[in-house]
């Protein structure tokens, strides 16, 4: 059975990664694209060989599709996801799921009520590097995990220097853009949940309208692990990385906070150093693979709707901490959803 997708949003991420990720599966088909502009919808459909171009959500949801991929700007995700769930379509939504964790919880509740699959497109969980780190930790290879460090300050490419740095109302700013990914990857690799965050944000000249273009967070996890994460839009020459330090060893990954299956993971213990080997599968293709399997009743999306609530609740707490100057408790209130 083929899964027919409708794209909600004529976006860069769909063009660069998700269209090919869907088409990489024999059972994945892109049936339609929706843009708020009929001209952009037509042009995008033409450039990407998509048979149907529409400019309203009703037209998209009325088309012969099974699932939607939402990659519009962040303030639009909520209403689009709720409408898609109501129409019985499975929803793979970009991060952050919404502008607030309360709205993200509404999406999870609606998906459960409609019996559809809801996934959050946190691509980094699909990286072989992060999966190998999670497995090494679970196998006890670094002993008891004590602390983690995430280096994810990049330079925002010029073609993306739009709403992310000018529009608070669209969910701009580096925390909703990158911190959500970092805290999700920490949750995944450590297999633990953050309970508290302290965050400093900065605006060094790229972002306007009161938005932050840099952030440093310190996270406390349930088990007692502490972690730091650094996110930025303005550092042209910083590399990325992810480290976890334990009582018996350290995992030191370089160049792994990316959209490509790149990078390396070094395990250092009393026995010496070992480069971990891991698969180099495309991150987005694996995300679609898991999502298709979940639609077929096998397992769940790589990052679920609940995971999206967690990452957004955590980012929300980081923003609150950044503005109040105080540590903030993280409360996804998953228990209150039914
Ligand atoms: P884009 O800015 O490329 O697209 C977002 C929206 O902008 C589109 O839906 C489109 O509206 C509008 N738009 C695009 N081009 C134009 C134009 N020329 N003129 C006017 N409007 C235009 O966003 P991204 O692809 O960078 O991000 C989209 C979503 O995906 C966000 O939620 C983001 O957080 C997420 N994302 C996730 C990544 C991941 O790895 N998981 C990576 C990058 C982004 P319309 O559809 O109405 O035409």
């Amino acid at each position: 059975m083929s899964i027919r997708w409708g794209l909600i949003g004529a976006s860069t991420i769909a063009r660069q990664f998700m269209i090919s990720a869907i088409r990489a599966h024999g059972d994945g088909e892109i049936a339609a694209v929706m843009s708020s502009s009929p001209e952009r919808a037509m042009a995008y459909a033409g450039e990407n060989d998509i048979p149907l171009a529409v400019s309203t959500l009703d037209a998209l949801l009325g088309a012969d599709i099974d699932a939607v991929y939402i990659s519009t700007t962040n303030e639009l995700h909520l209403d689009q996801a709720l409408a898609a769930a109501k129409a019985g379509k499975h929803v793979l939504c970009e991060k952050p799921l919404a502008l607030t964790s309360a709205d993200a919880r509404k999406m999870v509740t609606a998906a459960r009520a409609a019996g559809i699959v809801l996934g959050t497109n946190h691509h980094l969980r699909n990286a072989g590097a992060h999966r190998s780190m999670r497995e090494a930790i679970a196998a006890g290879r670094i002993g008891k995990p004590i602390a983690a460090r995430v280096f994810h300050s990049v330079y925002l490419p010029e073609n993306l220097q739009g709403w992310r740095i000018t529009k608070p109302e669209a969910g701009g700013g580096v925390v909703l853009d990158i911190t959500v990914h970092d805290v999700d990857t920490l949750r995944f690799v450590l297999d633990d949940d953050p309970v508290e965050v302290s965050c400093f944000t900065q605006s060094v000249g790229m972002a306007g309208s009161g938005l932050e273009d840099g952030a440093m967070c310190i996270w406390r996890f349930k088990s007692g692990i502490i972690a730091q994460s650094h996110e930025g839009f303005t550092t042209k020459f910083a590399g990325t990385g992810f480290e976890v330090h334990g009582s018996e060893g350290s995992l030191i990954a370089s160049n792994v906070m990316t959209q490509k299956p790149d990078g390396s993971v070094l395990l250092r213990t009393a026995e010496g150093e070992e480069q971990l080997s891991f698969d180099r599968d495309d991150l987005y293709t694996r995300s679609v693979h898991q999502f298709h399997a979940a639609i077929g009743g096998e397992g769940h999306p790589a990052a679920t709707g609940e995971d999206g609530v967690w990452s957004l609740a955590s980012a929300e707490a980081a923003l609150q901490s950044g503005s109040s100057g105080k540590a903030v408790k993280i409360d996804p209130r998953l228990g209150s959803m039914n």
Side-chain angles (χ1 to χ4, degrees):
M1 190 196 83
S2 98
I3 294 174
R4 292 169 58 81
W5 285 83
L7 306 183
I8 300 184
S11 69
T12 308
I13 178 73
R15 179 164 42 75
Q16 288 184 334
F17 290 98
M18 289 300 287
I19 291 175
S20 56
I22 291 170
R23 288 182 175 150
H25 298 82
D27 60 349
E29 205 182 315
I30 299 174
V33 60
M34 185 209 108
S35 161
S36 57
S37 139
E39 295 76 32
R40 216 160 48 240
M42 286 294 287
Y44 197 92
E47 284 157 22
N48 296 289
D49 204 13
I50 300 172
L52 179 65
V54 299
S55 58
T56 67
L57 194 54
D58 282 348
L60 186 94
L61 296 176
D64 178 17
I65 56 170
D66 308 297
V68 298
Y69 167 59
I70 300 178
S71 62
T72 47
T73 48
N74 304 328
E75 83 285 15
L76 301 174
H77 296 175
L78 171 69
D79 287 348
Q80 291 168 340
L82 294 182
K86 201 168 165 200
K89 313 297 181 193
H90 302 289
V91 177
L92 179 57
C93 186
E94 270 307 339
K95 43 48 68 169
L97 280 187
L99 296 186
T100 66
S101 58
D103 282 349
R105 283 196 296 274
K106 285 183 198 156
M107 292 162 71
V108 173
T109 304
R112 285 183 191 167
I116 55 106
V117 176
L118 170 65
T120 311
N121 209 26
H122 278 308
H123 61 295
L124 290 163
R125 283 175 175 241
N126 294 293
H130 296 297
R131 285 183 287 121
S132 72
M133 291 175 87
R134 177 180 159 102
E135 282 159 21
I137 293 168
R141 300 199 69 189
I142 62 164
K144 183 177 158 41
I146 295 167
R149 300 196 282 229
V150 182
F151 309 90
H152 199 173
S153 181
V154 296
Y155 187 74
L156 189 64
E158 266 168 43
N159 66 314
L160 296 183
Q161 290 181 24
W163 56 270
R164 278 179 179 77
I165 54 169
T166 56
K167 283 199 175 168
E169 67 278 15
V174 79
V175 171
L176 288 184
D177 200 48
I178 305 184
T179 308
V180 281
H181 278 314
D182 291 349
V183 70
D184 181 71
T185 312
L186 280 163
R187 282 187 68 231
F188 176 71
V189 170
L190 301 173
D191 195 16
D192 199 354
D193 291 324
V195 291
E196 187 175 9
V197 61
S198 214
C199 172
F200 279 1
T201 59
Q202 64 181 173
S203 198
V204 300
M206 183 188 278
S209 311
L211 287 169
E212 77 291 344
D213 51 28
M216 280 201 185
C217 302
I218 303 173
W219 309 89
R220 186 190 302 285
F221 281 75
K222 261 184 202 147
S223 68
I225 296 173
I226 53 173
Q228 66 186 46
S229 68
H230 178 202
E231 296 85 22
F233 284 156
T234 64
T235 53
K236 281 192 178 142
F237 306 103
T240 71
F242 196 113
E243 299 177 355
V244 186
H245 304 283
S247 57
E248 311 299 327
S250 286
L251 285 163
I252 299 161
S254 303
N255 190 25
V256 293
M257 306 308 285
T258 85
Q259 295 179 291
K260 305 243 170 85
D262 291 341
S264 59
V265 182
L266 179 79
L267 171 66
R268 185 182 295 145
T269 64
E271 276 83 62
E273 294 188 340
E274 176 190 338
Q275 288 288 344
L276 299 190
S277 62
F278 50 87
D279 72 60
R280 301 282 171 172
D281 295 347
D282 178 74
L283 282 58
Y284 297 91
T285 303
R286 191 173 180 281
S287 170
V288 173
H289 177 78
Q290 296 257 124
F291 196 82
H292 280 194
I295 290 176
E298 275 173 52
H300 48 74
T304 60
E306 287 84 347
D307 291 319
V309 172
W310 261 108
S311 63
L312 183 49
S314 305
E316 209 167 49
L319 283 171
Q320 267 172 36
S321 169
S323 57
S324 68
K326 295 187 174 136
V328 174
K329 298 265 190 288
I330 297 164
D331 177 12
R333 291 206 198 165
L334 288 166
S336 67
M337 293 187 302
N338 48 46

